[in-house]
Amino acid sequence: MSVRGRERRWAGLVPAGYSLALALLVLGPLLGPGYLLLRDAVSTPRSYLTDSALGLGDAAPRAVPQDALIATLSPVIDGGLIVKVILLAALWLAGWGAATLARDLLRVSTGPQLVAATLAIWNPYVAERLLQGHWSLLTGYAALPWIALLATRLRAAAVVPAAAIDAAIPADPPVVVAGAARLCGLSSRRCVTWAALGGWLAAAGLTPTGSLLAGCVAFLLVGRRNLAGAVGLWIVAAAPWLAATALAGTGAEPSDPAGVAAFAARAEPWLGTLGSLAGLGGIWNSTAVPDSRTTFFALIGTVLLLGLVATGVHAVIGRRPLSAGATARISQSGNGGSHTGTFGSGAEVSIGEDSSEAAGPHTCRVLIAIAVAAVVLPALGATGWGLSAGEFLVTKVPGAGLLRDTQKFVALAMPGFALCAAAGCRAVSERISAGRAGTSDPIAEHSAMAHGAIAEHSAMAHGAIPEDSAVTRDRNAGARIGGVAAVFIVLMLVALPDLAWGVGGALRPVRYPGGWERVAGMVEAPGDVAVLPGGMFRKFRYSGSAPVLDPAPRLLPRDVLQTGELPVHGATVSGEGVRAHTAEQLLLRGGSARELADLGVGWVLVERGTPGPLGESKTTLAELNSVYSDADLQLYRVPGSIADHDASASSRRIAGAAHLLWAVLLCGGILSAAAHMVSLSGIPQRIRRESRPR
């Protein structure tokens, strides 16, 4: 293999390693011993497959199928470790995916790929969602660039011969994938692409919102011929929460219209709502933002981020595909392997992986359009008429409550922003070169160099051009674009300095008191658990200053009644938990034990040391049997016959089957996606070959 070939092969490992290092820098202290307990994020040593974990409780199935996944795995693997691994993998794959997206669609070299990876990991959206505790939403965020890549590959099948598509997909797919391919009449290699797409849709579907994000990207990019297949995969990936909504009915009920204004995007200092969203910020909770976003520095950081993105918008929108003949010459040159050549500007073309070349410009433009819509629509939703429209939707359209936190959908801007930043890095480098050579059109120069690189590769293969000369030119161009990339990366890091080390130290693991484990061992059927003080959020002595979601529903083996009521900006947004609300009000007014039993409440847990209303609950507690008490918890048993409010066996079977379908799609997709990522990211074939059993 040539010197240049070896360098390009090893360069494929750099974005993956860099993204992992950046993800570790972000999470930092959270990776130590203990559990994530911050606002909406609750990880526990062990959780249980209750009705609520399957989405069959009183509240809307917002944490389906994530709760069922952790409940299934936590008897074998510590639940806190599972959450940390998923969160680390999400940030890592978000960066790696953005880098691979830029490499595949823009043919950029390693430096711009690292710029794309940095933007995907190091931005206000990631910081704010981490502080809000939306760790599982970030799996949907991470899936977006990979879904865009796979959808582009499938769309390219309409304009690129099937043999070229198959050549770009790794051989030796999993046996189950090959079998499915024969049944579907597809080549096994194309089936790997579909299986990988299904896996990423399932990973994004860890939460309903993530599933919606992934579906938007897949449906808009996959092409009309593949749309039915993509919709089918998405339905399977979303089956757990779709089934739970149909069975329990809570997610389809109208939502409190007060939640529309409460969860609308928020203007950050000196930016306004539109500027905040354009800078990938603007979350509704003003306390879940890095300190740098609460001062004038928010404007500086946003200007830096948008300035870097703006440098590449023209290059991405105006990108021209290589001619069909040029693409064919690339694919056919060399010895049949996956080779890479380099443009004089430092841009990289992947020989043998050009199946997405024909669809690439279309994908780039669609991703830019999605990014614009992801910023503009939430901004409009925060206006007077936008709030009115939102209130109409959540009260009239079943399930529209999923849309009330509009800032979540800014995640859709990330792939387009990452492409623009990577293209801007290359464009700035080319402008520097053009300035020296007297050329004024970097896009035209890049196109000329692309075709020149093809000719050079062919000539070098026949010995017409000395390899050492080409290597020297490549290294000079690489040094120039590497310098520009380093400046871009430093500017992005400076724009949000307090994302480092657990978002300024806010992400730190906690330890639960031993009383929780002892209480979990006592709670058993019949009856669900009611909790005191009233409300869903707590402030424990061991959890820090920020309010945290009550961990009882995930720590106890019986359903814990949750009202779903959310305190926001001094007001309360009503939830869906009718029975939970009734039980809470009964306790606060000092109702009888018999009334609790009729509601299906078999246990009452008092969580001490946290603020919240207690009302006249002492009257009710005096009628109950105290079975455990320590400094943090007191558990009571409700005497008498307890009414049965458990989900029916048929509902649990249907919900379980939906979760099983999702798990099969996820597991099959993980195998295929892993093989596909290796191909897409340019990891040396020799490494892949040597890792196979002989």
Side-chain angles (χ1 to χ4, degrees):
M1 182 186 293
S2 67
V3 173
R4 184 162 66 170
R6 286 194 297 271
E7 289 179 351
R8 297 305 170 198
R9 290 183 184 280
W10 282 105
L13 292 171
V14 174
Y18 173 81
S19 298
L20 179 59
L22 209 57
L24 290 170
L25 179 60
V26 170
L27 296 181
L30 179 62
L31 302 179
Y35 301 90
L36 175 60
L37 186 62
L38 178 66
R39 295 187 175 88
D40 294 348
V42 178
S43 69
T44 59
R46 167 80 189 273
S47 57
Y48 300 87
L49 204 59
T50 61
D51 289 345
S52 294
L54 292 172
L56 301 177
D58 289 343
R62 296 187 181 92
V64 174
Q66 74 171 53
D67 283 354
L69 174 67
I70 297 173
T72 302
L73 298 178
S74 61
V76 180
I77 306 171
D78 182 81
L81 179 61
I82 295 171
V83 169
K84 291 176 187 178
V85 169
I86 293 175
L87 181 52
L88 177 62
L91 293 183
W92 171 42
L93 293 171
W96 189 11
T100 307
L101 185 70
R103 174 185 178 272
D104 207 60
L105 298 188
L106 301 178
R107 306 307 189 197
V108 293
S109 59
T110 302
Q113 290 178 48
L114 300 187
V115 170
T118 305
L119 188 144
I121 296 174
W122 206 276
N123 63 67
Y125 186 89
V126 170
E128 293 175 359
R129 291 299 161 177
L130 284 174
L131 290 176
Q132 187 58 38
H134 291 169
W135 62 270
S136 52
L137 175 64
L138 292 176
T139 62
Y141 173 86
L144 298 181
W146 297 105
I147 289 173
L149 269 174
L150 294 165
T152 301
R153 291 246 166 160
L154 291 171
R155 182 185 180 89
V159 291
V160 177
I165 297 290
D166 284 353
I169 301 175
D172 303 326
V175 174
V176 64
V177 172
R182 285 191 289 272
L183 290 174
C184 297
L186 298 172
S187 72
S188 60
R189 290 180 174 180
R190 283 202 62 203
C191 192
V192 168
T193 306
W194 277 106
L197 178 62
W200 279 113
L201 289 172
L206 204 58
T207 62
T209 302
S211 186
L212 294 178
L213 295 174
C216 286
V217 172
F219 300 157
L220 290 172
L221 292 178
V222 78
R224 285 179 295 177
R225 295 185 181 182
N226 300 307
L227 184 59
V231 170
L233 284 178
W234 182 85
I235 290 173
V236 175
W241 64 270
L242 290 176
T245 299
L247 292 168
T250 51
E253 293 177 355
S255 299
D256 185 355
V260 175
F263 294 109
R266 180 186 54 85
E268 293 175 346
W270 300 86
L271 287 170
T273 304
L274 182 61
S276 301
L277 293 167
L280 303 183
I283 192 172
W284 58 270
N285 188 352
S286 60
T287 64
V289 296
D291 290 340
S292 63
R293 301 289 296 183
T294 63
T295 67
F296 180 74
F297 195 78
L299 174 62
I300 298 174
T302 299
V303 169
L304 288 174
L305 176 65
L306 293 181
L308 298 178
V309 170
T311 60
V313 172
H314 179 60
V316 172
I317 295 177
R319 179 177 175 273
R320 306 166 188 169
L322 298 178
S323 66
T327 302
R329 287 197 298 275
I330 292 177
S331 299
Q332 294 169 8
S333 63
N335 59 8
S338 176
H339 300 291
T340 55
T342 304
F343 302 158
S345 63
E348 181 181 280
V349 62
S350 301
I351 311 302
E353 290 183 1
D354 289 280
S355 62
S356 59
E357 179 62 41
H362 170 81
T363 296
C364 289
R365 295 184 185 105
V366 170
L367 289 177
I368 294 298
I370 291 174
V372 172
V375 170
V376 172
L377 292 180
L380 292 175
T383 62
W385 68 266
L387 295 175
S388 298
E391 290 170 358
F392 173 82
L393 288 175
V394 300
T395 55
K396 302 298 182 182
V397 180
L402 273 175
L403 307 177
R404 63 187 184 183
D405 183 358
T406 53
Q407 196 267 349
K408 281 183 179 179
F409 295 92
V410 173
L412 293 168
M414 181 269 283
F417 276 32
L419 286 179
C420 289
C425 177
R426 181 173 64 188
V428 170
S429 175
E430 289 175 350
R431 285 190 181 97
I432 294 173
S433 299
R436 293 175 179 174
T439 306
S440 60
D441 187 356
I443 295 179
E445 180 189 16
H446 169 64
S447 179
M449 280 193 274
H451 290 81
I454 298 163
E456 178 183 304
H457 178 86
S458 178
M460 193 170 64
H462 294 85
I465 296 178
E467 184 179 336
D468 290 344
S469 175
V471 170
T472 300
R473 286 198 302 273
D474 285 348
R475 286 176 175 169
N476 291 337
R480 182 170 57 251
I481 201 169
V484 174
V487 172
F488 271 49
I489 290 171
V490 169
L491 289 176
M492 279 189 281
L493 298 180
V494 169
L496 193 62
D498 43 0
L499 178 55
W501 206 243
V503 196
L507 291 178
R508 292 191 176 275
V510 306
R511 297 273 194 174
Y512 291 104
W516 280 107
E517 183 178 359
R518 291 187 284 272
V519 166
M522 296 178 180
V523 173
E524 59 185 8
D528 297 329
V529 183
V531 292
L532 287 170
M536 292 177 54
F537 285 85
R538 304 286 187 249
K539 283 189 178 181
F540 299 116
R541 57 178 174 80
Y542 49 86
S543 63
S545 59
V548 300
L549 199 61
D550 190 351
R554 291 171 175 84
L555 281 165
L556 303 183
R558 294 292 297 171
D559 271 331
V560 177
L561 299 183
Q562 297 277 277
T563 64
E565 294 180 350
L566 302 172
V568 182
H569 306 317
T572 299
V573 179
S574 300
E576 306 86 2
V578 177
R579 185 163 66 100
H581 179 77
T582 303
E584 181 180 284
Q585 293 304 309
L586 190 153
L587 283 169
L588 294 181
R589 65 176 171 81
S592 68
R594 181 68 265 159
E595 291 175 288
L596 279 178
D598 290 342
L599 285 171
V601 176
W603 305 87
V604 176
L605 178 66
V606 180
E607 301 173 35
R608 293 171 167 167
T610 179
L614 293 171
E616 301 299 322
S617 58
K618 285 185 179 181
T619 304
T620 307
L621 297 178
E623 299 182 23
L624 311 183
N625 301 323
S626 178
V627 295
Y628 179 82
S629 180
D630 65 16
D632 298 295
L633 302 169
Q634 186 162 12
L635 180 66
Y636 294 87
R637 186 68 162 111
V638 178
S641 177
I642 308 299
D644 183 10
H645 283 266
D646 293 345
S648 67
S650 60
S651 293
R652 285 185 65 90
R653 282 195 296 270
I654 294 171
H659 280 78
L660 184 60
L661 278 175
W662 171 82
V664 169
L665 187 65
L666 178 66
C667 293
I670 286 174
L671 296 176
S672 300
H676 209 85
M677 285 190 296
V678 167
S679 171
L680 289 173
S681 58
I683 291 177
Q685 280 187 335
R686 180 174 59 82
I687 296 176
R688 305 201 297 267
R689 201 165 47 238
E690 291 175 355
S691 66
R692 296 176 184 171
R694 296 181 181 275

